[in-house]
Amino acid sequence: MTWRTTFLFVVLATLVVVLIDWLTSIGILPISQVINYSDAGLRFIRVWIWLAIAIGFIVPTIAFIVWFKYPEVRKVFGFYLLILVIQIVTEKIASSVWLPSLVVSIGTLYTAGRVWQLWYEQQSLKTTDLSQANFKIINSVLWVLLLFWSSNLIMLLTPCWPSIL
């Protein structure tokens, strides 16, 4: 990832979110303005959010701090955390200013982008000069993140999208 790639992704995702909001507000897209979770679905989402905080935010933050002196690793986790923070801010603003249901669209866009980002960065780390032990640990963290965010994408497509359609 580079600053340019990150900026382009955020701009593109923002334009898509604005388009979804506009098309929903004029009645072209059949998306509910609120999220209609069942009680069980709401409990599941609450647990999933805590899991996302633990796996998706705390683990990469620790990796960023522990391997801060390695520029390649700092770049990987730095851009990852930057895009994650931008997603959280975007979801907070969009759900309070526009439609609360936009968090599902935003989550889907950013999660798909994050899966691509993690896959790309995992491939690019293969060419770095990290020690074998550091590479294995960092690669394992990236695999855990990839598996979690891939699961998150499935979760968004199964209970979340049906709750707004």
Side-chain angles (χ1 to χ4, degrees), residues 6-165:
T6 302
F7 177 75
L8 289 173
F9 174 76
V10 169
V11 167
L12 180 63
T14 302
L15 290 173
V16 169
V17 168
V18 169
L19 180 65
I20 290 170
D21 175 65
W22 178 68
L23 292 173
T24 301
S25 65
I26 62 173
I28 292 177
L29 286 179
I31 295 175
S32 172
Q33 294 189 5
V34 294
I35 303 172
N36 299 311
Y37 290 127
S38 65
D39 288 339
L42 191 55
R43 284 192 301 275
F44 174 76
I45 295 298
R46 286 184 182 143
V47 170
W48 191 261
I49 288 172
W50 282 107
L51 194 60
I53 291 168
I55 296 173
F57 184 72
I58 294 173
V59 169
T61 300
I62 291 169
F64 180 78
I65 292 167
V66 168
W67 285 282
F68 187 80
K69 65 181 180 178
Y70 296 98
E72 303 92 359
V73 179
R74 187 174 60 231
K75 182 184 100 171
V76 167
F77 290 109
F79 280 118
Y80 169 91
L81 291 168
L82 174 65
I83 290 178
L84 184 63
V85 168
I86 290 170
Q87 175 186 353
I88 293 166
V89 169
T90 304
E91 287 177 348
K92 189 72 174 160
I93 291 170
S95 66
S96 62
V97 174
W98 295 320
L99 307 172
S101 63
L102 278 177
V103 296
V104 176
S105 302
I106 295 166
T108 304
L109 287 168
Y110 276 88
T111 299
R114 188 168 301 111
V115 167
W116 170 81
Q117 174 190 22
L118 288 166
W119 179 258
Y120 176 81
E121 294 298 357
Q122 187 181 45
Q123 301 306 310
S124 70
L125 277 181
K126 291 178 182 178
T127 61
T128 61
D129 56 347
L130 292 168
S131 71
Q132 189 69 16
N134 281 335
F135 176 77
K136 283 184 178 184
I137 294 169
I138 293 164
N139 196 41
S140 296
V141 169
L142 290 174
W143 268 112
V144 167
L145 290 171
L146 255 169
L147 290 172
F148 174 76
W149 290 115
S150 296
S151 299
N152 189 67
L153 195 56
I154 293 167
M155 192 271 308
L156 282 162
L157 296 173
T158 50
C160 295
W161 272 100
S163 70
I164 65 170
L165 293 177

